[in-house]
Amino acid sequence: MEKEPIKSHEDLEAYKMAFDVAMKIFELSKKFPVEERYSLTDQIRRSSRSVCANLAEAWRKRRYEAAFIAKLNDSETEAAETQTWLKFAVKCGYLDVDTGRELYGIYNQVLGILVTIINNPSPWLIKR
C-alpha cells in the first residue's frame, strides 16, 4: 500500500499529531482553575497551537531553506515550551501524572520528527 503524497501542511504527521494534542490540551485546560486563566491556561493553549501554526508557515516557506528551517525551529521551541507548561500543570495538580506523561510523550514524537526534518531538509524543499 502506497502512502498518499503530502499536498499540504495538514498532511504532515507532525502537524496531525500536534493538532490533535493541542485540541486535547484545550479540552483538558477548560478544567484548570479560573485563577490560571491569564497565565497557565492561556500559555499552554497558545504554545500548543503555535506548534501547528509554525509548521503551516514552514510548509509555505519551502522555497527558501533557511526560512523553512527557521520556522521548523520555531515549531520545535513551541513544542518544548508546551512540554514545560504540561509539567507545571501536573505539578500544580491540574493534570494527572498519566495524562501529563501521555501528552509530553506525544510532543517528544513531534520533536523527533521536526529534528529529523531540520537535519535533512532537502527532500522537503521546493526545487526551483
Side-chain angles (χ1 to χ4, degrees), residues 72-73 76 109-121:
L72 291 173
N73 280 322
E76 180 185 4
Q109 292 174 29
V110 170
L111 285 163
I113 294 168
L114 292 172
V115 168
T116 298
I117 297 170
I118 289 166
N119 288 338
N120 185 23

Side-chain angles (χ1 to χ4, degrees), residues 32-117:
F32 289 3
V34 69
E35 63 266 18
E36 290 288 5
R37 179 178 298 138
Y38 300 110
S39 54
L40 181 60
T41 304
D42 283 349
Q43 291 288 46
I44 198 168
R45 287 177 178 178
R46 182 204 54 75
S47 64
S48 66
R49 291 171 178 170
S50 236
V51 176
C52 301
N54 282 299
L55 269 169
E57 288 184 55
W59 183 257
R60 299 311 263 166
K61 293 188 174 195
R62 291 173 298 130
R63 283 181 184 85
Y64 313 100
E65 184 173 350
F68 177 59
I69 291 171
K71 291 315 288 184
L72 291 173
N73 280 322
D74 290 344
S75 189
E76 180 185 4
T77 59
E78 295 293 342
E81 179 182 336
T82 303
Q83 287 182 314
T84 301
W85 295 125
L86 287 168
K87 288 181 101 170
F88 275 109
V90 169
K91 281 289 191 189
C92 292
Y94 308 147
L95 287 178
D96 66 73
V97 173
D98 290 337
T99 301
R101 280 190 186 132
E102 175 192 346
L103 301 176
Y104 196 97
I106 293 168
Y107 278 105
N108 274 340
Q109 292 174 29
V110 170
L111 285 163
I113 294 168
L114 292 172
V115 168
T116 298
I117 297 170

